[in-house]
Amino acid sequence: MHTPGAAPADTASSDTAPSDGAASDAVTATHCPYCALQCGMNLRPEPGGAGVVVEERADFPVNRGALCGKGRSAPAVLSSRVRLTEPLVRTHAGRLEPATWEEALDAVAEGLARTRRTHGADAVGVFGGGGLTNEKAYALGKFARVALRTSQIDYNGRFCMSSAAAAHQRAFGLDRGLPFPLEDIPRTGCVILVGSNPAETMPPALRFFRELRENGGTLIVVDPRRTRTAEQADLHLAPRPGTDLALALGLLHLVVAGGHTDEEFIAGRTSGWEEARAGAMAHWPELVERITGVPVPKLREAVRMFCAPESAMVLTARGPEQQSKGTDTVGAWINLCLATGRAGRPLSGYGCLTGQGNGQGGREHGQKADQLPGYRKLTDPAARAHVAEVWGIDPDDLPGPGRSAYELLDALGSDVKALLLMGSNPVVSAPRAAHVEERIRSLDFLAVADVVLSETAALADVVLPVTQWAEETGTTTNLEGRVLLRRRALTPPPGVRTDLEVLHGLASRLGMPKAFPTAPEEVFDELRRASAGGPADYSGISYARIEAEQGVFWPCPADPPPGETSPGESHPGKADPGETHPGTPRLFLDRFATEDGRARFVPVAHRDAAEMPDAEYPLLLTTGRVVAQYQSGAQTRRVDELNEAAPGPFVELHPRLAARIGAVDGAPLAVTSRRGRAVAPARITDTIRADTVFMPFHWPGEGRANTLTNPALDPVSRMPEFKVCAVRVEPA
């Protein structure tokens, strides 16, 4: 029997670090564990080996040393005072009690195997996270499909940028958050930033927009709130939540009416324009003003600013994407770029500001219900054959596509009886959260691997304590498509293992230990083989290259033939035979990644949100983040200095609305939707529309914003409508 924390010999990590738990003497260059910027930072050992401190890393181009408060305080979550340090197993008395690793892994393996025997493979679900490294995301997808043979796997990244990903695929044939590096933003002529607030969600990125304006460019921000980002803008458009699609169509109408289309680009590099044009012309300015609340003169000014310079960009984030029509909404903004020739050209294009730390890489390599590693489609026979060969199985043994994230959570306790969950906290982060919590509680068996005892982990039958960013080696892929390497800086506490060791231990108990190695670089090399030839081709990327080059942009195939390039990239010098492919920082400059090389216009039309205000629920709720907290708050709510800056939830509302309902600043306010009720202090401000209220979604309990949100799904991306639902508001 192993003591709690003693790793068996066959799962010992290959990472090198001092065995006494202290950091090494050397400074470790690594990356922040939070958002998709993946800012560079250095970790220096504290005197006496007590831990590590964060130092600036000025050489990394994404942040040039700048860090937000979350990044600077990230080592606080490494403390044994706030994190899990031993496995927990629920006893017959209903309490979570410490257990040995052998006992915990035995319990998980038996719980999953018992469910398979009794109810079939698809009665076992797997739910991953957008913060997992590429290696862990790849191994988790492989574990679900090879060890468990289940189709029921998805991840919380579905709640991040799935609508943008689907729109990318429809229009360009390839999905990467940004098809160009962040460094291109200050050099373009105009940026329309839609539903994004980087001043709070990724503060180091705000400098790119400041530099844009310093260089003579203009910034247009589309947001129902006058956020800290909107205050930096040359023009702020404040549409009613849920009307971004109409706004984009109205701008395209004015582009056509004003003669601002790029006919040569449309004819030479696109298809489907006539249908898309007809859809836009049905959305005349006065109609769009009635739908969105944005005055016609502001619509005309936005078109003038966007079309005046030689280059321009549109960047979207969760605002337009987390809607039941998110894919069409993003498609409308892409149509605006294509019609004006602002795509597939230097310093122009459409991009998505991914939110989660590895939201990009996390979906590329097999966590998503319908995808195999390398961004291959699970329904493609050739893709199945390739990946099955790498995995050493018959392609027919691979299950087909499963449920999307919310649909999987909604099926818990009914079709799906057992769940293995890694790196996610859906009790706080999922829409209609009270219902999701009820579904989780109804499971026959729940195992959670996490760093902290999150609200979801507290409901588990077995909790497995796993390592964090500074305690393990692995790669992530940031919002630019830049593959990065985090190096292990210190040894984890004795009772903690890596997720790769957890999967190896479970696979061993299920009869296939050799298929799941524990060394991150070994897993990455297998990932490279599995991705080879796929849209997200990592086969030409190695740990050594990443370190030497400050990251490598995918696609990056291994040793292309002479003169051959990756989809859409123009290189100053073509790679010679035997040379390593240079990576692809800029996509689509020569051709788009479609079969004919042309971008596709997709005709779209405005439609209402799934839930509109009425007499009973007369207001609109929108949700978002604050600068000092992150996602479900499972980690940041354990950091004192972040809690001092953002101690709890609030309801933001306009003074006119406050006066009408008798709300007092700081007093409890009840927000009720058709799904439940949340209570939080009022924050009265004139920076929000009078028909809209805002709540941040980082907290559990009675202030849980996602108790209210609507799980209505986009028909293409299966994204829930987090960003708009009907509510009523009254003093509590």
Side-chain angles (χ1 to χ4, degrees), residues 253 283-292 294 296 299-300:
H253 178 110
H283 295 77
W284 59 94
E286 292 75 17
L287 172 64
V288 170
E289 178 178 327
R290 288 200 299 272
I291 294 171
T292 66
V294 178
V296 170
L299 298 175
R300 296 187 185 281

Side-chain angles (χ1 to χ4, degrees), residues 615-684:
E616 187 176 2
Y617 301 98
L619 300 169
L620 292 169
L621 169 71
T622 192
T623 64
R625 285 168 49 188
V626 297
V627 68
Q629 301 288 352
Y630 180 71
Q631 304 300 77
S632 76
Q635 295 184 52
T636 51
R637 284 187 276 111
R638 287 166 167 82
V639 179
D640 291 342
E641 67 179 85
L642 298 179
N643 284 331
E644 290 173 6
F650 57 87
V651 182
E652 190 176 278
L653 72 164
H654 193 276
R656 289 203 301 273
L657 173 59
R660 189 165 76 243
I661 66 172
V664 176
D665 197 64
L669 204 59
V671 184
T672 306
S673 77
R674 290 178 173 85
R675 288 151 297 281
R677 181 176 186 265
V679 178
R683 182 174 294 184
I684 300 172

Side-chain angles (χ1 to χ4, degrees), residues 350-391:
Y350 163 79
C352 166
L353 297 177
T354 310
Q356 293 191 81
N358 198 30
Q360 181 71 50
R363 70 178 181 280
E364 293 167 4
H365 299 299
Q367 281 192 100
K368 200 158 168 274
D370 56 351
Q371 288 176 190
L372 288 169
Y375 231 139
R376 287 181 160 92
K377 293 181 179 179
L378 190 50
T379 54
D380 178 2
R384 293 170 66 87
H386 173 85
V387 174
E389 182 178 6
V390 173
W391 287 351

Side-chain angles (χ1 to χ4, degrees), residues 350-586:
Y350 163 79
C352 166
L353 297 177
T354 310
Q356 293 191 81
N358 198 30
Q360 181 71 50
R363 70 178 181 280
E364 293 167 4
H365 299 299
Q367 281 192 100
K368 200 158 168 274
D370 56 351
Q371 288 176 190
L372 288 169
Y375 231 139
R376 287 181 160 92
K377 293 181 179 179
L378 190 50
T379 54
D380 178 2
R384 293 170 66 87
H386 173 85
V387 174
E389 182 178 6
V390 173
W391 287 351
I393 63 173
D394 190 307
D396 291 339
D397 290 338
L398 280 172
R403 293 175 172 92
S404 70
Y406 179 77
E407 291 166 306
L408 174 56
L409 295 172
D410 190 42
L412 299 182
S414 54
D415 295 343
V416 178
K417 308 289 187 181
L419 183 69
L420 172 64
L421 187 146
M422 282 188 161
S424 185
N425 188 18
V427 166
V428 178
S429 63
R432 197 185 174 195
H435 171 74
V436 168
E437 180 178 346
E438 177 188 331
R439 294 289 83 219
I440 289 173
R441 289 180 181 274
S442 72
L443 282 164
D444 292 348
F445 182 80
L446 172 65
V448 174
D450 209 333
V451 172
V452 298
L453 190 67
S454 70
E455 288 72 23
T456 305
L459 303 179
D461 297 284
V462 181
V463 182
L464 303 172
V466 291
T467 51
Q468 303 187 56
W469 58 289
E471 302 165 344
E472 60 186 11
T473 293
T475 61
T476 62
T477 306
N478 80 344
L479 75 173
E480 307 166 294
R482 188 194 302 253
V483 185
L484 304 166
L485 181 64
R486 296 178 185 164
R487 282 289 190 190
R488 185 178 182 183
L490 73 167
T491 304
V496 174
R497 294 187 185 176
T498 70
D499 295 270
L500 296 179
E501 290 167 349
V502 167
L503 294 174
H504 175 92
L506 294 177
S508 297
R509 287 160 174 79
L510 296 172
M512 47 185 64
K514 293 184 179 179
F516 292 89
T518 63
E521 192 163 6
E522 184 179 350
V523 177
F524 187 75
D525 286 342
E526 183 182 311
L527 180 159
R528 293 168 63 191
R529 297 195 302 275
S531 74
D537 191 334
Y538 282 33
S539 60
I541 304 175
S542 66
Y543 277 20
R545 276 200 69 185
I546 295 170
E547 285 190 301
E549 301 176 26
Q550 297 280 34
V552 180
F553 292 85
W554 71 261
C556 183
D559 299 326
E564 184 175 304
T565 64
S566 293
E569 170 71 336
S570 297
H571 300 302
K574 301 288 194 274
D576 293 327
E579 286 187 350
T580 302
H581 189 282
T584 316
R586 295 172 181 86

Side-chain angles (χ1 to χ4, degrees), residues 63-144:
N63 62 309
R64 301 178 200 161
L67 293 166
C68 71
K70 294 187 294 290
R72 291 189 179 279
S73 64
V77 189
L78 299 169
S79 168
S80 297
R81 181 178 63 85
V82 299
R83 53 97 59 87
L84 294 165
T85 57
E86 56 187 348
L88 303 173
V89 174
R90 195 168 298 279
T91 66
H92 292 299
R95 294 188 299 271
L96 284 172
E97 298 286 355
T100 68
W101 268 99
E102 292 295 295
E103 291 167 341
L105 291 173
D106 285 348
V108 176
E110 173 54 28
L112 301 178
R114 181 176 61 249
T115 303
R116 286 182 59 197
R117 289 193 303 267
T118 306
H119 302 286
D122 275 357
V124 179
V126 176
F127 199 85
L132 300 181
T133 63
N134 290 320
E135 292 80 359
K136 294 191 289 189
Y138 169 83
L140 186 62
K142 179 182 176 183
F143 180 81

